[in-house]
């Protein structure tokens, strides 16, 4: 099963907030600056940066700093681990659904 429960906790914590899920969805399309990530979420740059820190600690986002420009990109490996953990339980859910 999953070898790193602490890392999994960080990933699921990061995914627990809608703004962070929106950021990840947008980063799946292309790299974005912190400002670009914050813009459609109607939040300050400071708030967006705090959300990004949660994503970075979970290993889901990598930030590159060039001068004053902070560019973020998706790191999908932790999502694959979370998916594998969830997929372990999929047969149980299917059996319960079939029992209905």
């Amino acid at each position: 099963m999953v070898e790193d429960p602490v890392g999994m906790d960080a990933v699921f914590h990061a995914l627990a907030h809608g703004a962070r899920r929106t950021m990840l969805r947008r980063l799946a399309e292309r790299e974005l600056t912190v400002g670009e990530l914050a813009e459609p979420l109607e939040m300050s740059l400071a708030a967006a940066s705090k959300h990004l820190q949660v994503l970075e600690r979970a290993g889901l986002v990598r930030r590159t700093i060039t001068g004053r420009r902070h560019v973020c990109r998706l790191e999908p490996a932790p999502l694959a681990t979370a998916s594998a953990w969830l997929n372990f339980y999929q047969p149980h859910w299917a059996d319960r659904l079939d029992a209905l």
Side-chain angles (χ1 to χ4, degrees):
M1 179 98 115
V2 176
E3 299 289 325
D4 182 15
V6 174
M8 289 296 297
D9 287 348
V11 169
F12 283 113
H13 171 73
L15 295 174
H17 195 282
R20 293 191 288 263
R21 290 191 304 271
T22 298
M23 288 177 170
L24 288 177
R25 190 175 314 114
R26 293 184 63 223
L27 288 172
E29 297 171 9
R30 66 183 179 97
E31 294 181 348
L32 296 166
T33 65
V34 175
E36 291 169 332
L37 283 169
E39 184 179 331
L41 297 173
E42 298 179 10
M43 67 175 56
S44 69
L45 202 55
S49 187
K50 287 182 182 185
H51 283 295
L52 278 169
Q53 288 173 2
V54 173
L55 294 169
E56 286 175 301
R57 282 193 299 271
L60 295 166
V61 170
R62 178 167 294 163
R63 188 186 318 210
T64 305
I65 302 170
T66 306
R68 294 180 50 159
R69 186 174 156 89
H70 292 229
V71 178
C72 302
R73 70 179 171 137
L74 177 67
E75 292 290 331
L79 290 173
T81 304
S83 178
W85 186 86
L86 290 169
N87 285 336
F88 175 81
Y89 294 97
Q90 195 278 334
H92 174 71
W93 299 329
D95 291 345
R96 299 285 298 177
L97 185 60
D98 290 342
L100 287 175

